[in-house]
Amino acid sequence: MSTPVHEPSCRRDLDGVVATAHRLVLRYGDHTAMDTSTFVIPTHAVTAVIGPNGSGKSTVLNALAGLVEPASGTLQVLGSDPADVRRRVSYVLQSVTVAAGTPITVAETVGMGRYPNLGLWRRRSDTDRHRVRTAMERLAITGLEHKHLTELSGGQRQRVYVAQGIAQGHEVLLLDEPLTGLDLVSARTIDDIIHSERDRGCSVILTTHDLEEARAADHVLLMNGRVVASGPPEEVLTLANLESAYGLGAIHKTVGAFVDDPAHPREPGGPPEGLELQDRSSQRPSGKGRREPGQDAAHDVEHRDR
């Protein structure tokens, strides 16, 4: 669990909406990654973007970050074109490749989060150093500050990248599958950051394969090449909507926590041939609150060859 520290709050003077899309279409060349979709993402909230592999989840984050321009329709972030507010949006990718032997330390990596605020020539101020130190404390990586990235485990590296993201001055934090494949300590630490950022007044938007993670959010975008539904989890994550998004005609009424398996890309019209998805929620120990982040998908979805 991360250590509580003082951190400036995000702005709270927005009108309740962090992003608005109207008949938005997103493409990479001739490939349509997201077909015509209209949705609103609320501010000061955790929004989960969930859907099968290839459904357009990461593309939505790229568009919100100003990295992909609309092919048609409109998208506004913080009331402006996404490209005009990039300094107010912090984007943490799912994975970053670091060449073996790259001489960059944890402290230097987190410090790079201040670059958008520094400009070309300005040197770091006491405020910049405080933001970097605070970010490292919140992600529990201060003891790793002199280590090189290549010396770290996958979970430790992900904490470093999230620390870099929150070190940047931001109002919106974008996270691409931040808990996938992490050890339990790293997953708990990052999950704590996700919800504490919201409590500071930031808007957090994350992609996920985990239904329980989506249920713990304030708002959900359910996708399958377009936005199937948008709204509070209890309204979006219904059996009918999940069947529409995943093509799972055999999905049980009590849906298991992991409705998509990253190891098996979704085939058109449903799950891969020979793969049966069964609900195992009745086999899990009873308990209240959110599902522990970082649990393996194999514990939630049973694969049975016919």
Side-chain angles (χ1 to χ4, degrees):
M1 189 67 65
S2 57
T3 305
V5 293
H6 174 70
E7 178 74 356
S9 296
C10 296
R11 287 175 51 183
R12 296 179 178 271
D13 58 350
L14 301 174
D15 60 1
V17 175
V18 70
T20 304
H22 180 69
R23 298 191 59 79
L24 179 65
V25 177
L26 300 173
R27 292 194 182 103
Y28 296 109
D30 295 331
H31 171 67
T32 299
M34 187 184 79
D35 213 340
T36 308
S37 298
T38 296
F39 58 89
V40 172
I41 298 178
T43 191
H44 312 321
V46 175
T47 295
V49 185
I50 188 170
N53 286 338
S55 61
K57 300 188 298 294
S58 295
T59 301
V60 168
L61 291 195
N62 288 338
L64 293 170
L67 302 178
V68 176
E69 295 184 359
S72 64
T74 61
L75 174 65
Q76 285 199 323
V77 175
L78 300 172
S80 302
D81 185 288
D84 295 335
V85 293
R86 286 180 181 173
R87 290 190 178 185
R88 298 161 66 186
V89 177
S90 186
Y91 190 5
V92 180
L93 299 173
Q94 179 184 5
S95 61
V96 179
T97 301
V98 179
T102 301
I104 184 170
T105 67
V106 167
E108 290 167 340
T109 303
V110 177
M112 291 170 64
R114 298 302 298 163
Y115 285 2
N117 307 88
L118 288 172
L120 189 59
W121 303 113
R122 188 171 70 83
R123 300 181 65 180
R124 287 187 189 176
S125 65
D126 288 342
T127 297
D128 295 318
R129 286 187 283 271
H130 171 74
R131 290 295 296 266
V132 170
R133 184 172 61 254
T134 296
M136 293 179 65
E137 289 175 1
R138 291 180 67 193
L139 271 300
I141 55 173
T142 52
L144 304 174
E145 60 183 329
H146 299 301
K147 286 187 175 292
H148 289 174
L149 291 181
T150 52
E151 299 179 80
L152 306 182
S153 68
Q156 289 172 331
R157 279 197 301 272
Q158 185 69 354
R159 278 190 271 162
V160 171
Y161 296 135
V162 172
Q164 182 189 83
I166 65 173
Q168 177 183 335
H170 63 276
E171 296 161 53
V172 183
L173 179 63
L174 307 178
L175 301 166
D176 194 8
E177 298 191 25
L179 305 181
T180 299
L182 299 188
D183 62 276
L184 189 56
V185 171
S186 293
R188 280 177 169 171
T189 302
I190 294 173
D191 186 65
D192 182 52
I193 290 295
I194 289 169
H195 295 276
S196 63
E197 283 291 289
R198 174 200 58 194
D199 295 342
R200 292 198 309 112
C202 294
S203 303
V204 181
I205 305 170
L206 60 93
T207 60
T208 182
H209 284 285
D210 190 330
L211 185 59
E212 288 306 310
E213 192 176 337
R215 283 175 172 156
D218 305 299
H219 190 86
V220 175
L221 292 185
L222 178 62
M223 301 194 62
N224 183 9
R226 63 181 178 86
V227 174
V228 175
S230 174
E234 63 273 15
E235 296 179 10
V236 171
L237 301 175
T238 65
L239 178 62
N241 285 340
L242 291 171
E243 287 182 338
S244 176
Y246 288 89
L248 302 179
I251 197 168
H252 290 192
K253 290 185 178 181
T254 304
V255 184
F258 228 97
V259 293
D260 189 38
D261 180 7
H264 296 81
R266 179 180 178 274
E267 300 291 340
E273 184 177 356
L275 183 66
E276 180 180 358
L277 277 72
Q278 295 186 351
D279 172 43
R280 301 184 66 182
S281 58
S282 61
Q283 302 176 28
R284 295 192 203 105
S286 60
K288 296 182 179 180
R290 295 200 304 273
R291 172 180 177 267
E292 290 286 7
Q295 290 180 3
D296 195 305
H299 295 167
D300 299 305
V301 179
E302 179 176 352
H303 304 270
R304 180 173 300 170
D305 292 332
R306 291 173 177 163

